[in-house]
């Protein structure tokens, strides 16, 4: 048997040695790289926090749409779903007497001494439905097309209750994502913007600690560090009524308006059907057109602009054509601003037996016009907006529920001087029925700094801070714990609480990823 020459043996051994050396070097590089990555994670860097994608949140969101968020079946069904979901994650849910669900998530090993972070959202939402859509809020799930080519998620002729549902979906997604974190408490408050009973009645020991992140923000890229204050008022007076004199009766009908929640944006709040009919009636009186007012009604929910309003007027032969012309002129001005679904019409109806007296009709219109034409301003930056929540006007009764929103208590307080003038001119008293607190968090707080940093990483650009223009339940939580730094984030919801409500699908994961990075960074330090 022939053997290989010595030079061949040496060549082969050198190759084996070189290969082994290169392999060892490659293994060493991999080990060092892994060590560096893990050390970066431990340092709490934004680039290494756990992340989720839009589909993670969307799956939770679509499940929630099948549960009622108001009326029959609420909050029992949505609460049972939340409790079941967190139980599968290994956590325990507690439901209090007011329908709030509270979930405590223990800290990761080694992070037990870190500060508590509270995640909060509301579970209730009133579903707006177009006139052409049959919808049973207790039994019909909200239908959406989640995969449109333009990436927009929108309901099928209904709103989606997105402000609450997206928040619930985001928190559930965060809770099921594995990462290092300090103690977390998730609070799902019962109710919605008009009914904040859950937040009002929440036991004060639940919003403890120093940091609460709410998922009720409505401007992607903005960390909300404040919310509007609100004052609620009622005008209430008995009328005597009078016998009808005219021969022609008409229903003044304005419907299909966008409605939605009231905000401190005065111009937005005034595009509503009550203003349209009030201005038409006032203009007719100013032109000397005689009519009798039988009733005027609108709205049903606090802190929401009415979607429709109706009034009944009685006219004589001479005034009929002039009144119709005046009303049509006002309707034309409003149609373009009111939205594509708005309908404005005069419809002939049976002549009623009774109407308001001339003096009572004049007082009612003075009251309404005085409210709707007022502009409450503290300065260029701080304004207050007034809106009519509910109006019920008949020959024998005047009832009007009003909300005034302002960026702070000073702005809301400016209603008092105007209120006295309106009462004096109309002889209808205005009585305060309640206050809804706002809140303000210092922009330079450590919690705001950390959340802004995490939000910026999730967005891929710097985020902003600012106050929300609407009223929410967070002020009640601030009252229970004045030391709480409250911040709100969320996706941008266009047409919020209206049948045109929509948001961009690809933004769904951004708030969740911001929270995940915030929790990771918080778990590395003690405040």
């Amino acid at each position: 048997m022939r053997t290989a020459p010595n030079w061949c043996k040496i060549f082969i051994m050198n190759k084996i040695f070189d290969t082994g050396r290169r392999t060892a070097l490659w293994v060493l590089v991999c080990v060092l790289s892994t060590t560096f990555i893990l050390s970066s994670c431990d340092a709490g860097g934004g680039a290494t926090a756990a992340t989720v994608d839009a589909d993670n949140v969307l799956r939770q969101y679509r499940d929630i749409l099948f549960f009622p968020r108001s009326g029959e079946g609420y909050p029992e069904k949505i609460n049972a779903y939340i409790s079941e979901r967190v139980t599968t994650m290994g956590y325990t849910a507690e439901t209090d007497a007011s329908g709030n669900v509270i979930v405590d998530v223990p800290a990761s090993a080694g992070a037990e001494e870190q500060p508590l972070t509270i995640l909060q959202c509301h579970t209730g939402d009133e579903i707006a439905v177009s006139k052409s859509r049959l919808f049973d809020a207790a039994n019909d799930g909200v239908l959406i097309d989640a995969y449109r080519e333009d990436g927009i998620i929108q309901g099928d002729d209904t709103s989606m209750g997105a402000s609450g549902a997206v928040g619930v979906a985001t928190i559930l997604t965060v809770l099921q994502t594995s990462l290092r974190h300090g103690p977390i408490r998730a609070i799902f408050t019962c109710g919605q913007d008009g009914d904040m009973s859950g937040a009002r009645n929440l036991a004060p020991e639940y919003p403890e600690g120093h940091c609460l992140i709410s998922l009720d923000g409505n401007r992607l890229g903005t960390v909300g560090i404040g919310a509007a204050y609100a004052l609620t008022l009622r005008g209430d007076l008995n009328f005597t009524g009078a016998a009808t004199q005219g021969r022609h009766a008409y229903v003044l009908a304005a419907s299909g308006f966008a409605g939605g929640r009231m905000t401190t944006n005065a111009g937005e709040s005034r595009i509503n059907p009550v203003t349209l009919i009030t201005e038409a009636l006032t203009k007719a009186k100013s032109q000397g057109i005689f009519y009798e007012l039988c009733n005027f009604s609108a709205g049903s929910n606090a802190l929401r602009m009415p979607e429709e309003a109706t009034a009944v007027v009685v006219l004589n032969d001479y005034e009929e054509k002039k009144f119709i012309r005046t009303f049509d002129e006002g309707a034309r001005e409003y149609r373009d601003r009111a939205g594509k679904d708005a309908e404005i019409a005069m419809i002939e109806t049976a002549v009623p037996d009774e109407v308001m007296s001339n003096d009572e009709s004049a007082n009612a219109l003075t009251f309404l016009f005085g409210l709707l034409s007022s502009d409450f301003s503290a300065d260029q930056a701080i304004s207050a907006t007034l809106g009519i929540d509910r109006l019920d006007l008949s020959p024998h009764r005047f009832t009007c529920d009003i909300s005034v929103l302002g960026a702070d208590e000073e702005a809301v307080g400016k209603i008092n001087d105007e209120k006295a003038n309106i009462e004096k001119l109309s002889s209808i008293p205005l009585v305060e029925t309640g206050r809804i607190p706002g809140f303000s968090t210092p922009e330079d707080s450590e919690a705001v700094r950390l959340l802004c940093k995490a939000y910026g990483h999730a967005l891929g650009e710097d985020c902003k801070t600012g106050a929300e223009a609407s009223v929410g339940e967070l002020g009640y939580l601030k009252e229970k714990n004045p030391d709480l730094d409250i911040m709100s984030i969320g996706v941008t919801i266009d047409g919020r609480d209206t049948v045109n409500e929509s948001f961009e699908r690809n933004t769904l994961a951004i708030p969740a990823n911001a929270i995940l990075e915030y929790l990771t960074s918080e778990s590395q330090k003690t405040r």
Side-chain angles (χ1 to χ4, degrees), residues 94-100 201:
E94 175 188 351
T95 303
D96 69 11
S98 297
N100 302 306
N201 299 322

Side-chain angles (χ1 to χ4, degrees), residues 346-427:
M346 278 186 68
I347 307 164
E348 195 159 8
T349 188
V351 177
D353 295 328
E354 279 190 304
V355 293
M356 298 173 214
S357 71
N358 289 337
D359 287 344
E360 290 166 346
S361 172
N363 287 343
L365 288 176
T366 299
F367 180 91
L368 294 174
F369 189 77
L371 291 174
L372 294 169
S373 62
S374 297
D375 187 16
F376 309 105
S377 297
D379 55 36
Q380 293 292 326
I382 304 175
S383 64
T385 296
L386 179 145
I388 292 176
D389 302 326
R390 185 177 70 90
L391 175 63
D392 188 7
L393 184 57
S394 69
H396 295 284
R397 186 79 176 175
F398 177 95
T399 304
C400 184
D401 291 329
I402 302 153
S403 295
V404 184
L405 275 65
D408 60 12
E409 289 182 291
E410 178 186 358
V412 172
K414 295 211 174 268
I415 181 63
N416 288 325
D417 293 338
E418 195 72 27
K419 179 170 80 75
N421 293 333
I422 294 169
E423 288 176 322
K424 183 176 180 180
L425 291 171
S426 68
S427 302

Side-chain angles (χ1 to χ4, degrees), residues 80-292:
Y81 170 77
I82 293 171
S83 297
E84 180 183 351
R85 289 289 297 118
V86 300
T87 298
T88 62
M89 301 175 199
Y91 311 131
T92 301
E94 175 188 351
T95 303
D96 69 11
S98 297
N100 302 306
V101 179
I102 299 97
V103 182
D104 280 324
V105 178
S108 303
E112 294 87 353
E113 300 302 317
Q114 306 310 320
L116 173 70
T117 298
I118 300 174
L119 306 178
Q120 180 274 340
C121 68
H122 66 269
T123 58
D125 283 293
E126 194 78 29
I127 303 299
V129 183
S130 72
K131 293 192 298 182
S132 61
R133 177 84 154 78
L134 295 176
F135 184 82
D136 180 356
N139 299 300
D140 295 343
V142 172
L143 300 178
I144 63 170
D145 183 355
Y147 295 98
R148 284 171 33 169
E149 288 186 5
D150 60 4
I152 300 297
I153 295 180
Q154 189 168 5
D156 179 18
D157 284 334
T158 71
S159 66
M160 300 176 289
S163 61
V166 172
V168 174
T170 300
I171 292 177
L172 292 177
T173 301
V174 168
L175 296 186
Q176 73 178 11
T177 304
S178 177
L179 79 165
R180 177 183 169 86
H181 59 78
I184 302 170
R185 175 169 294 156
I187 301 178
F188 302 90
T189 49
C190 180
Q192 56 210 32
D193 295 323
D195 173 22
M196 304 177 196
S197 57
R200 286 201 313 271
N201 299 322
L202 183 70
E205 63 264 25
Y206 289 125
E208 63 181 347
H210 296 282
C211 171
L212 182 148
I213 302 174
S214 172
L215 274 298
D216 196 32
N218 189 34
R219 289 176 292 172
L220 186 70
T222 297
V223 174
I225 56 172
Y229 292 70
L231 174 71
T232 57
L233 306 165
R234 170 169 287 186
D236 202 359
L237 191 67
N238 290 325
F239 284 167
T240 57
T244 305
Q245 298 178 27
R247 298 175 56 186
H248 307 281
Y250 287 89
V251 177
L252 312 181
S255 63
F257 280 58
R261 64 171 60 186
M262 284 180 58
T263 74
T264 52
N265 182 333
E268 179 181 298
S269 296
R270 290 199 175 99
I271 303 173
N272 69 71
V274 177
T275 306
L276 185 156
I277 293 177
T278 299
E279 289 182 354
L281 293 173
T282 304
K283 186 175 181 180
K285 278 201 179 295
S286 69
Q287 294 176 349
I289 300 173
F290 176 79
Y291 62 85
E292 297 167 288

Side-chain angles (χ1 to χ4, degrees), residues 290-311:
F290 176 79
Y291 62 85
E292 297 167 288
L293 183 59
C294 176
N295 60 51
F296 192 174
S297 61
S300 60
N301 297 314
L303 298 170
R304 289 179 65 94
M305 293 183 285
E307 297 169 11
E308 60 184 28
T310 59

Side-chain angles (χ1 to χ4, degrees), residues 46-99:
T48 59
T51 59
V52 298
D53 60 28
D55 282 339
N56 296 124
V57 184
L58 183 60
R59 281 192 290 271
Q60 305 276 4
Y61 176 68
R62 296 181 76 170
D63 287 346
I64 294 162
L65 296 182
F66 287 97
F67 298 100
R69 257 86 48 72
S70 64
E72 184 182 349
Y74 176 79
E76 293 80 11
K77 292 182 179 180
I78 185 68
N79 285 357
Y81 170 77
I82 293 171
S83 297
E84 180 183 351
R85 289 289 297 118
V86 300
T87 298
T88 62
M89 301 175 199
Y91 311 131
T92 301
E94 175 188 351
T95 303
D96 69 11
S98 297

